């Protein structure tokens, strides 16, 4: 039952993101980045885990570059579809990336080193919709739910206000993020 409801919600969220004008999208992205890099959780983190965005996702390149400018280590994920798992690799230069399925940019394992998840201080989790409890509807692969099942450190997601709803359907394997950063600031989940 939840899977059909989630599929419909995912489609609606994608449609909303596609409707954004370039100017409005850039305005939201600028505020998301400002609110993230001024947060205490960002300031305390030495290694940031983040995706290299594509398509309708919020642009993460300015965030990655801000982390580098502040001397932080950036780790980006590589998907292994056969095992449906994520592994993060240190990311110091765009030359370490390769284009894979669906035109995604991922680290080339021959050009960088993988990292233990415990060493990622702050993981920025992508998604399409979020609720007040930190639960999310992602892009449908389940990779992050598997990765988050035993992730020990701080998690947050970037979301425009229209991506935050009161309650989402959730399954037993869904793992909420600790915080949401919107264009108006940080929303902590579960009192964190």
């Amino acid at each position: 039952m939840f899977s059909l409801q989630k599929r419909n919600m995912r489609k609606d969220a994608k449609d909303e993101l596609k409707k954004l004008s370039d100017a409005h999208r850039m305005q939201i992205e600028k505020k998301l980045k400002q609110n993230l890099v001024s947060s205490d959780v960002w300031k305390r983190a030495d290694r940031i885990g983040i995706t290299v965005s594509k398509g309708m996702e919020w642009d993460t390149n300015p965030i990655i570059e801000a982390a580098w400018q502040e001397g932080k280590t950036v780790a980006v994920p590589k998907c292994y579809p056969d095992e449906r798992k994520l592994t993060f690799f240190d990311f110091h230069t765009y030359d370490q990336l390769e284009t894979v399925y669906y035109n995604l940019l991922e680290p080339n394992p021959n050009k960088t080193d993988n990292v233990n998840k415990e060493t990622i201080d702050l993981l920025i989790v992508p998604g399409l919709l979020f609720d007040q409890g930190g639960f999310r509807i992602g892009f449908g692969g389940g990779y992050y739910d598997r990765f988050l099942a035993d992730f020990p450190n701080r998690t947050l997601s970037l979301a425009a206000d229209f991506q935050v709803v009161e309650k989402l359907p959730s399954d037993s394997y869904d793992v909420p993020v600790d915080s949401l950063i919107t264009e108006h600031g940080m929303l902590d989940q579960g009192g964190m």
Side-chain angles (χ1 to χ4, degrees), residues 66-114:
W68 287 339
Q69 288 170 2
E70 293 181 27
K72 296 181 185 296
T73 303
V74 175
V76 295
K78 180 166 187 63
C79 296
Y80 292 92
D82 292 343
E83 304 163 58
R84 297 185 68 83
K85 75 171 197 172
L86 288 178
T87 300
F88 279 77
F89 290 80
D90 276 338
F91 175 49
H92 305 288
T93 171
Y94 288 97
D95 294 338
Q96 294 173 309
L97 299 178
E98 61 183 353
T99 302
V100 296
Y101 60 94
Y102 298 120
N103 247 3
L104 294 173
L105 290 171
E106 292 188 346
N108 180 335
N110 298 319
K111 294 184 176 182
T112 185
D113 298 316
N114 69 320

Side-chain angles (χ1 to χ4, degrees), residues 13-27:
K14 285 180 179 179
D15 290 345
E16 284 299 310
L17 284 166
K18 288 176 188 173
K19 287 181 196 173
L20 288 176
S21 70
D22 289 346
H24 190 199
R25 171 179 283 279
M26 287 173 55
Q27 181 183 31

